[in-house]
Amino acid sequence: MRVQVAIVGGGPAGHLLGQLLHKAGIDAIVIEQRSRDYVLGRIRAGVLEQGTTDLLDELGVGARMHREGLVHGGLSLDFGGAHHRIDLHQLTGGKQVMVYGQTEVTHDLMDARSAAGLKTVYEAEHVSLHDFDGEHPKVRYTQHGINGKEEHEVECDFIAGCDGFHGVSRASVPAGALQTFERIYPFGWLGILADTPPVSHELVYTNHARGFALCSMRSHTRSRYYVQCSLDDKVENWSDEAFWDELRRRLAPDLAENLVTGPSIEKSIAPLLQLCGRAHAFRPAVSGRRCRAYRAAHRCQGPEPGGQRCALPGALLAEFYAGSEAGIDNYSAICLRRVWKAVRFSWWFTSLMHKFPDESGFGPRIQAAELDYLIHSPAASASLAENYVGLPLESW
Ligand code: DHB
């Protein structure tokens, strides 16, 4: 089989890129190692940047998001037992974020993909990438068919690696061709999902002497909460009651009083690479013009910038097939500029809100000064807001 682009990974990134390419008239296949149900069963972040919601609208897959998603024009920064609202809408000239699970986005994109009759392979086994640097990159995989195991080969112009940090794409890049920069934070996030009404109608980020806490949500009836925990903590150490007690201790008194608790439907310590442990960025030195596995940095705090990550390769591939190679040849440089800005914001926000080991007491005082500055300076609040809703694609 031959396509223009082989997308490895059928999560939100792979499916979004698939839809972007379809819109540009580019022929692509999505190859996913897991089943559709498995992909849709993954718990993922739930706040989308404005750029992502705009993109989903452009692609014609935003209808359910607008029906079921919750638009948030602000957030609360809590410290010292008080709330401080950051008015995202006003500070960014009308932008906002959307509470709508990434899993739901994936669902909508999968539906759109099958409605358009586009090819997705689920449960592909032994996926391997070949001839990266050559003119004819290939993806091979096996699949159970009526005649038992069948071998498949997809030849393409480009392979888009959308299968995450632990995926085969990243693992296939030759050692030495990839430089990794990472920051490992000395804590994790213990998260809980519960069918209880959210404690506040907007997200609440709390800096507390016992550690960070975040009150988020998936809907009016489903809450998502996180508390900072130690790196070696185990989820078995946390009964639901212990979680709710710890969360209550960290919230401002009025929220603590209003917190509705209930049995957790999911409880986990966020794997470090996925949520809060480390921000990492790659500097791909892979130079084959015909193939670039792409992968952007993970942000550990703030809305998910995934949509924007896909918009760029989507646009550059569209340009390439329209006859201009300049963009795709500079893909890494363009991409990394954006990625590092997302990493920078995440690093800054993480550093501001968490409790770090610090014997001298210098760190908490700097945090207190910065929080005080942030809520009183319109310029500082605007800087938080414009990063939180997502920097524009053509950003500086
Ligand atoms: C969520 C995660 C985040 O990192 C964040 O900043 C806001 C919300 C969430 O999972 O709901």
Side-chain angles (χ1 to χ4, degrees), residues 44-47 189 203 205 212 214 216-218 224 226 275 299-303 349 388:
R44 292 181 170 275
V47 185
W189 277 12
L203 266 63
Y205 291 84
F212 170 72
L214 168 60
S216 180
M217 66 190 76
R218 292 291 175 272
R224 179 82 168 144
Y226 300 96
L275 254 180
R299 168 191 283 188
C300 46
Q301 192 163 359
F349 204 15
Y388 192 90

mmCIF file with all atom_site columns, all heavy atoms in Angstrom, residues 44-47 189 203 205 212 214 216-218 224 226 275 299-303 349 388, ligand 1:
data_model
loop_
_atom_site.group_PDB
_atom_site.id
_atom_site.type_symbol
_atom_site.label_atom_id
_atom_site.label_alt_id
_atom_site.label_comp_id
_atom_site.label_asym_id
_atom_site.label_entity_id
_atom_site.label_seq_id
_atom_site.pdbx_PDB_ins_code
_atom_site.Cartn_x
_atom_site.Cartn_y
_atom_site.Cartn_z
_atom_site.occupancy
_atom_site.B_iso_or_equiv
_atom_site.pdbx_formal_charge
_atom_site.auth_seq_id
_atom_site.auth_comp_id
_atom_site.auth_asym_id
_atom_site.auth_atom_id
_atom_site.pdbx_PDB_model_num
ATOM   1   N N   . ARG A 1 44  ? -7.427  11.200 30.100 1.00 0.00 ? 44  ARG A N   1
ATOM   2   C CA  . ARG A 1 44  ? -6.529  12.249 29.603 1.00 0.00 ? 44  ARG A CA  1
ATOM   3   C C   . ARG A 1 44  ? -6.935  13.598 30.173 1.00 0.00 ? 44  ARG A C   1
ATOM   4   O O   . ARG A 1 44  ? -7.976  13.729 30.782 1.00 0.00 ? 44  ARG A O   1
ATOM   5   C CB  . ARG A 1 44  ? -6.594  12.309 28.080 1.00 0.00 ? 44  ARG A CB  1
ATOM   6   C CG  . ARG A 1 44  ? -6.013  11.080 27.415 1.00 0.00 ? 44  ARG A CG  1
ATOM   7   C CD  . ARG A 1 44  ? -6.099  11.235 25.919 1.00 0.00 ? 44  ARG A CD  1
ATOM   8   N NE  . ARG A 1 44  ? -5.354  10.206 25.226 1.00 0.00 ? 44  ARG A NE  1
ATOM   9   C CZ  . ARG A 1 44  ? -4.050  10.265 24.967 1.00 0.00 ? 44  ARG A CZ  1
ATOM   10  N NH1 . ARG A 1 44  ? -3.349  11.290 25.353 1.00 0.00 ? 44  ARG A NH1 1
ATOM   11  N NH2 . ARG A 1 44  ? -3.455  9.282  24.315 1.00 0.00 ? 44  ARG A NH2 1
ATOM   12  N N   . ALA A 1 45  ? -6.090  14.571 29.890 1.00 0.00 ? 45  ALA A N   1
ATOM   13  C CA  . ALA A 1 45  ? -6.379  15.922 30.369 1.00 0.00 ? 45  ALA A CA  1
ATOM   14  C C   . ALA A 1 45  ? -7.675  16.433 29.730 1.00 0.00 ? 45  ALA A C   1
ATOM   15  O O   . ALA A 1 45  ? -8.157  15.874 28.739 1.00 0.00 ? 45  ALA A O   1
ATOM   16  C CB  . ALA A 1 45  ? -5.217  16.845 30.051 1.00 0.00 ? 45  ALA A CB  1
ATOM   17  N N   . GLY A 1 46  ? -8.215  17.488 30.317 1.00 0.00 ? 46  GLY A N   1
ATOM   18  C CA  . GLY A 1 46  ? -9.551  17.860 29.875 1.00 0.00 ? 46  GLY A CA  1
ATOM   19  C C   . GLY A 1 46  ? -9.766  19.319 29.549 1.00 0.00 ? 46  GLY A C   1
ATOM   20  O O   . GLY A 1 46  ? -10.915 19.753 29.417 1.00 0.00 ? 46  GLY A O   1
ATOM   21  N N   . VAL A 1 47  ? -8.714  20.106 29.447 1.00 0.00 ? 47  VAL A N   1
ATOM   22  C CA  . VAL A 1 47  ? -8.911  21.528 29.147 1.00 0.00 ? 47  VAL A CA  1
ATOM   23  C C   . VAL A 1 47  ? -8.229  21.842 27.818 1.00 0.00 ? 47  VAL A C   1
ATOM   24  O O   . VAL A 1 47  ? -7.046  21.564 27.644 1.00 0.00 ? 47  VAL A O   1
ATOM   25  C CB  . VAL A 1 47  ? -8.330  22.420 30.271 1.00 0.00 ? 47  VAL A CB  1
ATOM   26  C CG1 . VAL A 1 47  ? -8.639  23.880 30.001 1.00 0.00 ? 47  VAL A CG1 1
ATOM   27  C CG2 . VAL A 1 47  ? -8.901  22.011 31.619 1.00 0.00 ? 47  VAL A CG2 1
ATOM   28  N N   . TRP A 1 189 ? 1.685   14.062 40.925 1.00 0.00 ? 189 TRP A N   1
ATOM   29  C CA  . TRP A 1 189 ? 0.294   14.488 41.155 1.00 0.00 ? 189 TRP A CA  1
ATOM   30  C C   . TRP A 1 189 ? -0.549  13.248 41.406 1.00 0.00 ? 189 TRP A C   1
ATOM   31  O O   . TRP A 1 189 ? -0.566  12.315 40.595 1.00 0.00 ? 189 TRP A O   1
ATOM   32  C CB  . TRP A 1 189 ? -0.274  15.175 39.907 1.00 0.00 ? 189 TRP A CB  1
ATOM   33  C CG  . TRP A 1 189 ? 0.063   16.617 39.751 1.00 0.00 ? 189 TRP A CG  1
ATOM   34  C CD1 . TRP A 1 189 ? 0.978   17.344 40.446 1.00 0.00 ? 189 TRP A CD1 1
ATOM   35  C CD2 . TRP A 1 189 ? -0.526  17.520 38.796 1.00 0.00 ? 189 TRP A CD2 1
ATOM   36  N NE1 . TRP A 1 189 ? 1.004   18.643 39.983 1.00 0.00 ? 189 TRP A NE1 1
ATOM   37  C CE2 . TRP A 1 189 ? 0.086   18.765 38.975 1.00 0.00 ? 189 TRP A CE2 1
ATOM   38  C CE3 . TRP A 1 189 ? -1.509  17.378 37.807 1.00 0.00 ? 189 TRP A CE3 1
ATOM   39  C CZ2 . TRP A 1 189 ? -0.253  19.883 38.207 1.00 0.00 ? 189 TRP A CZ2 1
ATOM   40  C CZ3 . TRP A 1 189 ? -1.835  18.478 37.042 1.00 0.00 ? 189 TRP A CZ3 1
ATOM   41  C CH2 . TRP A 1 189 ? -1.213  19.724 37.243 1.00 0.00 ? 189 TRP A CH2 1
ATOM   42  N N   . LEU A 1 203 ? -11.729 26.616 37.115 1.00 0.00 ? 203 LEU A N   1
ATOM   43  C CA  . LEU A 1 203 ? -10.611 25.846 37.670 1.00 0.00 ? 203 LEU A CA  1
ATOM   44  C C   . LEU A 1 203 ? -9.925  26.635 38.785 1.00 0.00 ? 203 LEU A C   1
ATOM   45  O O   . LEU A 1 203 ? -9.799  27.863 38.693 1.00 0.00 ? 203 LEU A O   1
ATOM   46  C CB  . LEU A 1 203 ? -9.585  25.515 36.577 1.00 0.00 ? 203 LEU A CB  1
ATOM   47  C CG  . LEU A 1 203 ? -9.776  24.140 35.915 1.00 0.00 ? 203 LEU A CG  1
ATOM   48  C CD1 . LEU A 1 203 ? -11.100 24.053 35.193 1.00 0.00 ? 203 LEU A CD1 1
ATOM   49  C CD2 . LEU A 1 203 ? -8.638  23.840 34.963 1.00 0.00 ? 203 LEU A CD2 1
ATOM   50  N N   . TYR A 1 205 ? -6.418  26.775 40.964 1.00 0.00 ? 205 TYR A N   1
ATOM   51  C CA  . TYR A 1 205 ? -5.028  26.366 41.172 1.00 0.00 ? 205 TYR A CA  1
ATOM   52  C C   . TYR A 1 205 ? -4.610  26.915 42.530 1.00 0.00 ? 205 TYR A C   1
ATOM   53  O O   . TYR A 1 205 ? -4.654  28.124 42.753 1.00 0.00 ? 205 TYR A O   1
ATOM   54  C CB  . TYR A 1 205 ? -4.127  26.957 40.089 1.00 0.00 ? 205 TYR A CB  1
ATOM   55  C CG  . TYR A 1 205 ? -4.351  26.382 38.701 1.00 0.00 ? 205 TYR A CG  1
ATOM   56  C CD1 . TYR A 1 205 ? -5.348  26.873 37.862 1.00 0.00 ? 205 TYR A CD1 1
ATOM   57  C CD2 . TYR A 1 205 ? -3.537  25.367 38.223 1.00 0.00 ? 205 TYR A CD2 1
ATOM   58  C CE1 . TYR A 1 205 ? -5.537  26.344 36.584 1.00 0.00 ? 205 TYR A CE1 1
ATOM   59  C CE2 . TYR A 1 205 ? -3.708  24.843 36.946 1.00 0.00 ? 205 TYR A CE2 1
ATOM   60  C CZ  . TYR A 1 205 ? -4.709  25.334 36.136 1.00 0.00 ? 205 TYR A CZ  1
ATOM   61  O OH  . TYR A 1 205 ? -4.881  24.809 34.883 1.00 0.00 ? 205 TYR A OH  1
ATOM   62  N N   . PHE A 1 212 ? 0.748   21.807 46.264 1.00 0.00 ? 212 PHE A N   1
ATOM   63  C CA  . PHE A 1 212 ? -0.189  22.275 45.243 1.00 0.00 ? 212 PHE A CA  1
ATOM   64  C C   . PHE A 1 212 ? -1.488  21.459 45.240 1.00 0.00 ? 212 PHE A C   1
ATOM   65  O O   . PHE A 1 212 ? -1.478  20.261 45.565 1.00 0.00 ? 212 PHE A O   1
ATOM   66  C CB  . PHE A 1 212 ? 0.521   22.122 43.885 1.00 0.00 ? 212 PHE A CB  1
ATOM   67  C CG  . PHE A 1 212 ? -0.335  22.317 42.675 1.00 0.00 ? 212 PHE A CG  1
ATOM   68  C CD1 . PHE A 1 212 ? -0.778  23.577 42.317 1.00 0.00 ? 212 PHE A CD1 1
ATOM   69  C CD2 . PHE A 1 212 ? -0.682  21.231 41.866 1.00 0.00 ? 212 PHE A CD2 1
ATOM   70  C CE1 . PHE A 1 212 ? -1.555  23.757 41.184 1.00 0.00 ? 212 PHE A CE1 1
ATOM   71  C CE2 . PHE A 1 212 ? -1.454  21.401 40.734 1.00 0.00 ? 212 PHE A CE2 1
ATOM   72  C CZ  . PHE A 1 212 ? -1.891  22.673 40.391 1.00 0.00 ? 212 PHE A CZ  1
ATOM   73  N N   . LEU A 1 214 ? -5.189  21.189 42.636 1.00 0.00 ? 214 LEU A N   1
ATOM   74  C CA  . LEU A 1 214 ? -5.927  21.689 41.467 1.00 0.00 ? 214 LEU A CA  1
ATOM   75  C C   . LEU A 1 214 ? -7.341  21.126 41.482 1.00 0.00 ? 214 LEU A C   1
ATOM   76  O O   . LEU A 1 214 ? -7.538  19.923 41.618 1.00 0.00 ? 214 LEU A O   1
ATOM   77  C CB  . LEU A 1 214 ? -5.201  21.259 40.180 1.00 0.00 ? 214 LEU A CB  1
ATOM   78  C CG  . LEU A 1 214 ? -5.947  21.439 38.848 1.00 0.00 ? 214 LEU A CG  1
ATOM   79  C CD1 . LEU A 1 214 ? -6.314  22.895 38.593 1.00 0.00 ? 214 LEU A CD1 1
ATOM   80  C CD2 . LEU A 1 214 ? -5.076  20.929 37.686 1.00 0.00 ? 214 LEU A CD2 1
ATOM   81  N N   . SER A 1 216 ? -10.280 20.690 39.074 1.00 0.00 ? 216 SER A N   1
ATOM   82  C CA  . SER A 1 216 ? -10.676 20.755 37.667 1.00 0.00 ? 216 SER A CA  1
ATOM   83  C C   . SER A 1 216 ? -11.964 19.963 37.506 1.00 0.00 ? 216 SER A C   1
ATOM   84  O O   . SER A 1 216 ? -12.587 19.544 38.489 1.00 0.00 ? 216 SER A O   1
ATOM   85  C CB  . SER A 1 216 ? -9.536  20.207 36.796 1.00 0.00 ? 216 SER A CB  1
ATOM   86  O OG  . SER A 1 216 ? -9.878  20.259 35.435 1.00 0.00 ? 216 SER A OG  1
ATOM   87  N N   . MET A 1 217 ? -12.382 19.782 36.300 1.00 0.00 ? 217 MET A N   1
ATOM   88  C CA  . MET A 1 217 ? -13.670 19.100 36.084 1.00 0.00 ? 217 MET A CA  1
ATOM   89  C C   . MET A 1 217 ? -13.721 18.524 34.677 1.00 0.00 ? 217 MET A C   1
ATOM   90  O O   . MET A 1 217 ? -12.901 18.868 33.816 1.00 0.00 ? 217 MET A O   1
ATOM   91  C CB  . MET A 1 217 ? -14.807 20.102 36.272 1.00 0.00 ? 217 MET A CB  1
ATOM   92  C CG  . MET A 1 217 ? -14.811 21.200 35.224 1.00 0.00 ? 217 MET A CG  1
ATOM   93  S SD  . MET A 1 217 ? -15.957 22.531 35.602 1.00 0.00 ? 217 MET A SD  1
ATOM   94  C CE  . MET A 1 217 ? -15.103 23.437 36.868 1.00 0.00 ? 217 MET A CE  1
ATOM   95  N N   . ARG A 1 218 ? -14.696 17.673 34.457 1.00 0.00 ? 218 ARG A N   1
ATOM   96  C CA  . ARG A 1 218 ? -14.972 17.175 33.111 1.00 0.00 ? 218 ARG A CA  1
ATOM   97  C C   . ARG A 1 218 ? -16.369 17.604 32.659 1.00 0.00 ? 218 ARG A C   1
ATOM   98  O O   . ARG A 1 218 ? -16.670 17.625 31.485 1.00 0.00 ? 218 ARG A O   1
ATOM   99  C CB  . ARG A 1 218 ? -14.864 15.647 33.071 1.00 0.00 ? 218 ARG A CB  1
ATOM   100 C CG  . ARG A 1 218 ? -13.443 15.128 33.277 1.00 0.00 ? 218 ARG A CG  1
ATOM   101 C CD  . ARG A 1 218 ? -12.530 15.466 32.089 1.00 0.00 ? 218 ARG A CD  1
ATOM   102 N NE  . ARG A 1 218 ? -11.137 15.083 32.339 1.00 0.00 ? 218 ARG A NE  1
ATOM   103 C CZ  . ARG A 1 218 ? -10.241 15.864 32.942 1.00 0.00 ? 218 ARG A CZ  1
ATOM   104 N NH1 . ARG A 1 218 ? -10.589 17.080 33.353 1.00 0.00 ? 218 ARG A NH1 1
ATOM   105 N NH2 . ARG A 1 218 ? -9.013  15.463 33.115 1.00 0.00 ? 218 ARG A NH2 1
ATOM   106 N N   . ARG A 1 224 ? -12.550 16.554 38.616 1.00 0.00 ? 224 ARG A N   1
ATOM   107 C CA  . ARG A 1 224 ? -11.193 16.015 38.562 1.00 0.00 ? 224 ARG A CA  1
ATOM   108 C C   . ARG A 1 224 ? -10.357 16.848 39.521 1.00 0.00 ? 224 ARG A C   1
ATOM   109 O O   . ARG A 1 224 ? -10.310 18.075 39.389 1.00 0.00 ? 224 ARG A O   1
ATOM   110 C CB  . ARG A 1 224 ? -10.661 16.158 37.121 1.00 0.00 ? 224 ARG A CB  1
ATOM   111 C CG  . ARG A 1 224 ? -9.257  15.669 36.921 1.00 0.00 ? 224 ARG A CG  1
ATOM   112 C CD  . ARG A 1 224 ? -9.223  14.181 36.726 1.00 0.00 ? 224 ARG A CD  1
ATOM   113 N NE  . ARG A 1 224 ? -7.947  13.679 36.256 1.00 0.00 ? 224 ARG A NE  1
ATOM   114 C CZ  . ARG A 1 224 ? -7.451  12.503 36.652 1.00 0.00 ? 224 ARG A CZ  1
ATOM   115 N NH1 . ARG A 1 224 ? -8.092  11.748 37.507 1.00 0.00 ? 224 ARG A NH1 1
ATOM   116 N NH2 . ARG A 1 224 ? -6.315  12.081 36.155 1.00 0.00 ? 224 ARG A NH2 1
ATOM   117 N N   . TYR A 1 226 ? -6.582  17.162 41.824 1.00 0.00 ? 226 TYR A N   1
ATOM   118 C CA  . TYR A 1 226 ? -5.208  16.681 41.992 1.00 0.00 ? 226 TYR A CA  1
ATOM   119 C C   . TYR A 1 226 ? -4.610  17.279 43.257 1.00 0.00 ? 226 TYR A C   1
ATOM   120 O O   . TYR A 1 226 ? -4.894  18.436 43.589 1.00 0.00 ? 226 TYR A O   1
ATOM   121 C CB  . TYR A 1 226 ? -4.312  17.142 40.833 1.00 0.00 ? 226 TYR A CB  1
ATOM   122 C CG  . TYR A 1 226 ? -4.715  16.689 39.457 1.00 0.00 ? 226 TYR A CG  1
ATOM   123 C CD1 . TYR A 1 226 ? -5.471  17.518 38.625 1.00 0.00 ? 226 TYR A CD1 1
ATOM   124 C CD2 . TYR A 1 226 ? -4.304  15.459 38.953 1.00 0.00 ? 226 TYR A CD2 1
ATOM   125 C CE1 . TYR A 1 226 ? -5.820  17.117 37.332 1.00 0.00 ? 226 TYR A CE1 1
ATOM   126 C CE2 . TYR A 1 226 ? -4.636  15.057 37.674 1.00 0.00 ? 226 TYR A CE2 1
ATOM   127 C CZ  . TYR A 1 226 ? -5.403  15.886 36.860 1.00 0.00 ? 226 TYR A CZ  1
ATOM   128 O OH  . TYR A 1 226 ? -5.731  15.493 35.590 1.00 0.00 ? 226 TYR A OH  1
ATOM   129 N N   . LEU A 1 275 ? 2.104   13.805 33.120 1.00 0.00 ? 275 LEU A N   1
ATOM   130 C CA  . LEU A 1 275 ? 1.396   14.956 33.643 1.00 0.00 ? 275 LEU A CA  1
ATOM   131 C C   . LEU A 1 275 ? 2.275   15.994 34.302 1.00 0.00 ? 275 LEU A C   1
ATOM   132 O O   . LEU A 1 275 ? 2.342   17.112 33.859 1.00 0.00 ? 275 LEU A O   1
ATOM   133 C CB  . LEU A 1 275 ? 0.302   14.521 34.607 1.00 0.00 ? 275 LEU A CB  1
ATOM   134 C CG  . LEU A 1 275 ? -1.089  14.639 34.032 1.00 0.00 ? 275 LEU A CG  1
ATOM   135 C CD1 . LEU A 1 275 ? -2.114  14.182 35.031 1.00 0.00 ? 275 LEU A CD1 1
ATOM   136 C CD2 . LEU A 1 275 ? -1.410  16.050 33.609 1.00 0.00 ? 275 LEU A CD2 1
ATOM   137 N N   . ARG A 1 299 ? 3.576   19.287 28.335 1.00 0.00 ? 299 ARG A N   1
ATOM   138 C CA  . ARG A 1 299 ? 3.421   20.359 29.304 1.00 0.00 ? 299 ARG A CA  1
ATOM   139 C C   . ARG A 1 299 ? 2.811   19.753 30.554 1.00 0.00 ? 299 ARG A C   1
ATOM   140 O O   . ARG A 1 299 ? 1.881   18.972 30.499 1.00 0.00 ? 299 ARG A O   1
ATOM   141 C CB  . ARG A 1 299 ? 2.482   21.387 28.714 1.00 0.00 ? 299 ARG A CB  1
ATOM   142 C CG  . ARG A 1 299 ? 2.016   22.383 29.726 1.00 0.00 ? 299 ARG A CG  1
ATOM   143 C CD  . ARG A 1 299 ? 0.913   23.189 29.167 1.00 0.00 ? 299 ARG A CD  1
ATOM   144 N NE  . ARG A 1 299 ? 1.470   24.168 28.250 1.00 0.00 ? 299 ARG A NE  1
ATOM   145 C CZ  . ARG A 1 299 ? 0.719   25.129 27.729 1.00 0.00 ? 299 ARG A CZ  1
ATOM   146 N NH1 . ARG A 1 299 ? -0.548  25.198 27.984 1.00 0.00 ? 299 ARG A NH1 1
ATOM   147 N NH2 . ARG A 1 299 ? 1.239   26.009 26.919 1.00 0.00 ? 299 ARG A NH2 1
ATOM   148 N N   . CYS A 1 300 ? 3.353   20.084 31.690 1.00 0.00 ? 300 CYS A N   1
ATOM   149 C CA  . CYS A 1 300 ? 2.802   19.434 32.875 1.00 0.00 ? 300 CYS A CA  1
ATOM   150 C C   . CYS A 1 300 ? 1.765   20.287 33.559 1.00 0.00 ? 300 CYS A C   1
ATOM   151 O O   . CYS A 1 300 ? 1.044   19.815 34.408 1.00 0.00 ? 300 CYS A O   1
ATOM   152 C CB  . CYS A 1 300 ? 3.897   19.035 33.836 1.00 0.00 ? 300 CYS A CB  1
ATOM   153 S SG  . CYS A 1 300 ? 5.096   20.284 34.119 1.00 0.00 ? 300 CYS A SG  1
ATOM   154 N N   . GLN A 1 301 ? 1.653   21.527 33.238 1.00 0.00 ? 301 GLN A N   1
ATOM   155 C CA  . GLN A 1 301 ? 0.634   22.330 33.891 1.00 0.00 ? 301 GLN A CA  1
ATOM   156 C C   . GLN A 1 301 ? 0.071   23.335 32.913 1.00 0.00 ? 301 GLN A C   1
ATOM   157 O O   . GLN A 1 301 ? 0.792   23.988 32.185 1.00 0.00 ? 301 GLN A O   1
ATOM   158 C CB  . GLN A 1 301 ? 1.229   23.057 35.089 1.00 0.00 ? 301 GLN A CB  1
ATOM   159 C CG  . GLN A 1 301 ? 0.184   23.656 35.959 1.00 0.00 ? 301 GLN A CG  1
ATOM   160 C CD  . GLN A 1 301 ? 0.717   24.008 37.326 1.00 0.00 ? 301 GLN A CD  1
ATOM   161 O OE1 . GLN A 1 301 ? 1.863   23.781 37.623 1.00 0.00 ? 301 GLN A OE1 1
ATOM   162 N NE2 . GLN A 1 301 ? -0.115  24.564 38.149 1.00 0.00 ? 301 GLN A NE2 1
ATOM   163 N N   . GLY A 1 302 ? -1.227  23.440 32.907 1.00 0.00 ? 302 GLY A N   1
ATOM   164 C CA  . GLY A 1 302 ? -1.898  24.334 31.967 1.00 0.00 ? 302 GLY A CA  1
ATOM   165 C C   . GLY A 1 302 ? -2.660  23.497 30.965 1.00 0.00 ? 302 GLY A C   1
ATOM   166 O O   . GLY A 1 302 ? -2.557  22.275 30.957 1.00 0.00 ? 302 GLY A O   1
ATOM   167 N N   . PRO A 1 303 ? -3.488  24.136 30.132 1.00 0.00 ? 303 PRO A N   1
ATOM   168 C CA  . PRO A 1 303 ? -4.279  23.387 29.161 1.00 0.00 ? 303 PRO A CA  1
ATOM   169 C C   . PRO A 1 303 ? -3.402  22.646 28.167 1.00 0.00 ? 303 PRO A C   1
ATOM   170 O O   . PRO A 1 303 ? -2.244  23.006 27.956 1.00 0.00 ? 303 PRO A O   1
ATOM   171 C CB  . PRO A 1 303 ? -5.099  24.459 28.449 1.00 0.00 ? 303 PRO A CB  1
ATOM   172 C CG  . PRO A 1 303 ? -4.986  25.668 29.273 1.00 0.00 ? 303 PRO A CG  1
ATOM   173 C CD  . PRO A 1 303 ? -3.706  25.574 30.015 1.00 0.00 ? 303 PRO A CD  1
ATOM   174 N N   . PHE A 1 349 ? 4.818   28.054 35.597 1.00 0.00 ? 349 PHE A N   1
ATOM   175 C CA  . PHE A 1 349 ? 3.592   27.852 36.377 1.00 0.00 ? 349 PHE A CA  1
ATOM   176 C C   . PHE A 1 349 ? 3.808   26.755 37.434 1.00 0.00 ? 349 PHE A C   1
ATOM   177 O O   . PHE A 1 349 ? 3.384   26.878 38.580 1.00 0.00 ? 349 PHE A O   1
ATOM   178 C CB  . PHE A 1 349 ? 2.459   27.475 35.414 1.00 0.00 ? 349 PHE A CB  1
ATOM   179 C CG  . PHE A 1 349 ? 1.073   27.792 35.920 1.00 0.00 ? 349 PHE A CG  1
ATOM   180 C CD1 . PHE A 1 349 ? 0.854   28.640 36.991 1.00 0.00 ? 349 PHE A CD1 1
ATOM   181 C CD2 . PHE A 1 349 ? -0.042  27.236 35.292 1.00 0.00 ? 349 PHE A CD2 1
ATOM   182 C CE1 . PHE A 1 349 ? -0.431  28.925 37.442 1.00 0.00 ? 349 PHE A CE1 1
ATOM   183 C CE2 . PHE A 1 349 ? -1.332  27.514 35.726 1.00 0.00 ? 349 PHE A CE2 1
ATOM   184 C CZ  . PHE A 1 349 ? -1.521  28.351 36.816 1.00 0.00 ? 349 PHE A CZ  1
ATOM   185 N N   . TYR A 1 388 ? -1.800  30.924 28.926 1.00 0.00 ? 388 TYR A N   1
ATOM   186 C CA  . TYR A 1 388 ? -2.744  29.887 29.356 1.00 0.00 ? 388 TYR A CA  1
ATOM   187 C C   . TYR A 1 388 ? -3.712  29.528 28.229 1.00 0.00 ? 388 TYR A C   1
ATOM   188 O O   . TYR A 1 388 ? -4.014  28.352 28.011 1.00 0.00 ? 388 TYR A O   1
ATOM   189 C CB  . TYR A 1 388 ? -3.501  30.363 30.604 1.00 0.00 ? 388 TYR A CB  1
ATOM   190 C CG  . TYR A 1 388 ? -4.269  29.264 31.287 1.00 0.00 ? 388 TYR A CG  1
ATOM   191 C CD1 . TYR A 1 388 ? -3.685  28.494 32.289 1.00 0.00 ? 388 TYR A CD1 1
ATOM   192 C CD2 . TYR A 1 388 ? -5.581  28.973 30.924 1.00 0.00 ? 388 TYR A CD2 1
ATOM   193 C CE1 . TYR A 1 388 ? -4.380  27.474 32.917 1.00 0.00 ? 388 TYR A CE1 1
ATOM   194 C CE2 . TYR A 1 388 ? -6.296  27.961 31.546 1.00 0.00 ? 388 TYR A CE2 1
ATOM   195 C CZ  . TYR A 1 388 ? -5.676  27.215 32.539 1.00 0.00 ? 388 TYR A CZ  1
ATOM   196 O OH  . TYR A 1 388 ? -6.372  26.192 33.146 1.00 0.00 ? 388 TYR A OH  1
HETATM 197 C C1  . DHB B 2 .   ? -6.190  19.445 34.059 1.00 0.00 ? 1   DHB B C1  1
HETATM 198 C C2  . DHB B 2 .   ? -4.832  19.204 33.985 1.00 0.00 ? 1   DHB B C2  1
HETATM 199 C C3  . DHB B 2 .   ? -3.949  20.273 33.986 1.00 0.00 ? 1   DHB B C3  1
HETATM 200 O O1  . DHB B 2 .   ? -2.614  20.087 33.920 1.00 0.00 ? 1   DHB B O1  1
HETATM 201 C C4  . DHB B 2 .   ? -4.422  21.574 34.089 1.00 0.00 ? 1   DHB B C4  1
HETATM 202 O O2  . DHB B 2 .   ? -3.549  22.600 34.140 1.00 0.00 ? 1   DHB B O2  1
HETATM 203 C C5  . DHB B 2 .   ? -5.779  21.810 34.144 1.00 0.00 ? 1   DHB B C5  1
HETATM 204 C C6  . DHB B 2 .   ? -6.667  20.739 34.143 1.00 0.00 ? 1   DHB B C6  1
HETATM 205 C C7  . DHB B 2 .   ? -7.182  18.320 34.073 1.00 0.00 ? 1   DHB B C7  1
HETATM 206 O O3  . DHB B 2 .   ? -6.777  17.168 33.961 1.00 0.00 ? 1   DHB B O3  1
HETATM 207 O O4  . DHB B 2 .   ? -8.376  18.574 34.233 1.00 0.00 ? 1   DHB B O4  1
#
